[in-house]
Amino acid sequence: MSGIAGWIDRDRDLTRGGPVTAAVTAMAERLRRGGHGVRHWSVPSAVLCHSADALDRAGAQPAVTTADGRPPAAVVFDGTLDNAARLRSELGLRGGPTGGADAEVVLHGYLRWGGEVARRLDGLFAFALWDERTRELVLCRDRFGVKPLSYLPLPGGGALFSSEVAALAGHPLADPVLDAEGLCSVLAQVRPPGRAALRGLREVRPGHLVRCSPTGLVEQRYWGLEARPHTEDLATTIETARGLLEEAVARQTGPAGGTPSVLLSGGLDSSTLSAVTAARTGTGPRTFTVSFGSAATVPDAPYAQAVVDHLGSDHQDVLVDPASLTDPVTLGAALDAKDFPSPFGDKNLTPYLFYRSVAQHTPVALSGEAADAVFGGLISEDERAATEHRTFPWIERARAFGLENGIGNGLFDQRMMRDIDLAGFCAERYREARDEVSHLPGAPAEDRRAREIDYFHMTRLYEQAVNHSERLAAAAGLHVRFPFSDHRLFSYLYNVPWRMKSFDGHDKSLLRAVARDLLPSIVLDRPKVPFPITYHPGYKQSLADRLRRVLDDRDAPVRPLLDLAAARRVTDDPRMLDRGGWLGRADTEMVLQLDAWLRARSVRLAL
């Protein structure tokens, strides 16, 4: 969870100080990730910055080499390599103060294998490498894009890059503008591949490497989901899935001997992860569960306790005080961490506060996020069997509740949404994603549809799950690792037919079979419930009060986008926040987050 940033400019000398140095310093200071000191490395055409976290080795980054009289090459790296030891041995790296650093492995791997190094890296990572020999910047993200990395192309083959949009938006060469496409990206919570919400800003796509050279930008894919025949029977499939999950846990917990920590909700996913971890180490892991104390009941609590009792975990309930959810400092910190507005409100705030507390007890924890996408837990039988599809499943579900424009958009002006063509934008993103899916020749329609839905969840909804958790945890000072995001497990289960993932008619029956001998039946057979939210009256009153302040502020940047009459109905009658359970609150949360994000990033609307 380091922060990385940099500036490539072929027309300026970036080592000359003055305004250039001030711009670099300001960009580095905006990094929220890391927080344990910033180091720089520069040559006339390139500056690389690294904001260290608590686990980084002092002085390890930026990693630089000038061996054999070659021009220097340097890299800044965020993440963890699960196979660093093997790669160090293969590269012949020995000892030294930075000899074990993952960044140095990437640097020497690139010098040996070029861009092919990306295929050899296991783990969650993002890196930026400057090769003075070719005067080329190389940007790369892990296979699922869990670690963030954005960039802004500049004239003449230059670029700004950073882990965080905030660091880019504040640079003098950036002009943070939200146009019609960008606003659609925010409201739909889906972006065109490789594009960020702000105009001109790009994201390194998951499983991709970007080269920025004097001749321009080149994007190269090094990994992706591919359709392959599945030839194993059900018993073998269960055994293989179990083995792949065990291997993923082993890679992400390191050598046996320590006591791993697991974020335990009491759901099937985190419970299975806790049980697999216990089986590997021979003892119950340290487990942490969120609690609101007497202020609200957490439906998962009895199931989490059943897992703790069954495994003998060293367990701690982490109390989140509902009053802290209205603290302006917490609100700002959570928005900065996500770096993007969303309608999820205290579904951002509660995890952030939870992770912050967990980080006081352990630097690293495992999360069960992504299991839903991998094991088919986000698709219903009706969705799989439906014959007509116009958009993503989660938008179709929202429309079933009467939310034509998706979750969180009920207070925006209907004419404005027609003018920016939100519906057309969503339809185009859907076609774009559907066209990416590879199918097996002659596959039945139901298998094709199930594969498409799995692909949508893995590549488009992922950001609302795994990436959501990673960014909030990073800002809170906690390294979260996601064994269900192991690409071997992902690739295998992507090709398991739907009838095996739900072989007994229940959701995620394959995962239940994997954990059948590891967990008590009360957990194995339990129904799924959403992440807990607070229904504390003080929180809802705070939402209404904050919305009223936005409506009363004629300079509020979000105000021109709103249906003011609809918004006033909420402030006049806060009971409207309870429409559809959490969905009524989502409308207000989206307005408040968008307004705060526009202010914090000094974003100009250009619709």
Side-chain angles (χ1 to χ4, degrees), residues 185-186 189 191 197 335 338-342 463 593 597 601:
S185 295
V186 172
Q189 296 290 295
R191 299 189 288 280
L335 180 61
K338 286 293 292 292
D339 220 17
F340 191 75
S342 77
E463 184 166 327
Q593 285 213 17
W597 183 74
R601 305 290 178 267

Side-chain angles (χ1 to χ4, degrees), residues 388-425:
E388 289 191 23
H389 313 282
R390 295 179 299 149
T391 190
F392 296 107
W394 53 93
I395 295 181
E396 289 184 340
R397 290 175 209 141
R399 289 174 177 172
F401 285 98
L403 307 175
E404 181 61 27
N405 295 301
I407 294 174
N409 296 328
L411 300 184
F412 290 97
D413 183 74
Q414 294 291 315
R415 180 175 178 179
M416 180 274 296
M417 289 192 286
R418 288 193 297 271
D419 288 345
I420 65 174
D421 194 16
L422 179 61
F425 174 89

Side-chain angles (χ1 to χ4, degrees), residues 85-277:
R86 180 175 61 79
L87 291 176
R88 283 199 302 271
S89 176
E90 192 172 348
L91 291 165
L93 296 178
R94 297 286 187 272
T98 64
D102 290 353
E104 192 172 36
V105 171
V106 171
L107 178 58
H108 286 272
Y110 179 82
L111 295 176
R112 169 85 62 88
W113 302 306
E116 285 297 308
V117 68
R119 300 181 192 274
R120 296 171 180 257
L121 304 178
D122 282 349
L124 305 178
F125 58 85
F127 69 80
L129 184 149
W130 174 255
D131 188 345
E132 184 74 2
R133 302 170 305 171
T134 58
R135 296 174 57 77
E136 183 176 60
L137 173 69
V138 179
L139 305 173
C140 187
R141 275 175 95 189
D142 61 71
R143 291 165 178 82
F144 300 109
V146 176
K147 296 296 180 180
L149 185 56
S150 299
Y151 64 102
L152 178 66
L154 299 176
L160 302 171
F161 67 86
S162 178
S163 304
E164 301 169 47
V165 170
L168 297 177
H171 193 280
L173 295 180
D175 181 17
V177 172
L178 190 69
D179 58 18
E181 181 183 273
L183 181 57
C184 284
S185 295
V186 172
L187 299 182
Q189 296 290 295
V190 176
R191 299 189 288 280
R195 300 222 288 274
L198 295 179
R199 189 165 67 191
L201 193 62
R202 298 186 61 83
E203 297 173 338
V204 179
R205 296 178 65 180
H208 280 69
L209 178 146
V210 175
R211 295 178 181 275
C212 177
S213 71
T215 58
L217 290 170
V218 176
E219 188 178 57
Q220 299 172 324
R221 192 184 87 160
Y222 69 86
W223 185 86
L225 290 166
E226 298 179 358
R228 297 188 181 93
H230 185 78
T231 58
E232 297 177 349
D233 61 17
L234 178 59
T236 306
T237 298
I238 294 169
E239 181 181 359
T240 302
R242 167 85 167 253
L244 288 170
L245 179 57
E246 289 172 344
E247 291 171 6
V249 169
R251 277 189 291 271
Q252 297 195 28
T253 54
T259 302
S261 298
V262 181
L263 306 176
L264 173 65
S265 70
L268 177 64
D269 309 339
S270 62
S271 299
T272 299
L273 185 59
S274 299
V276 170
T277 304

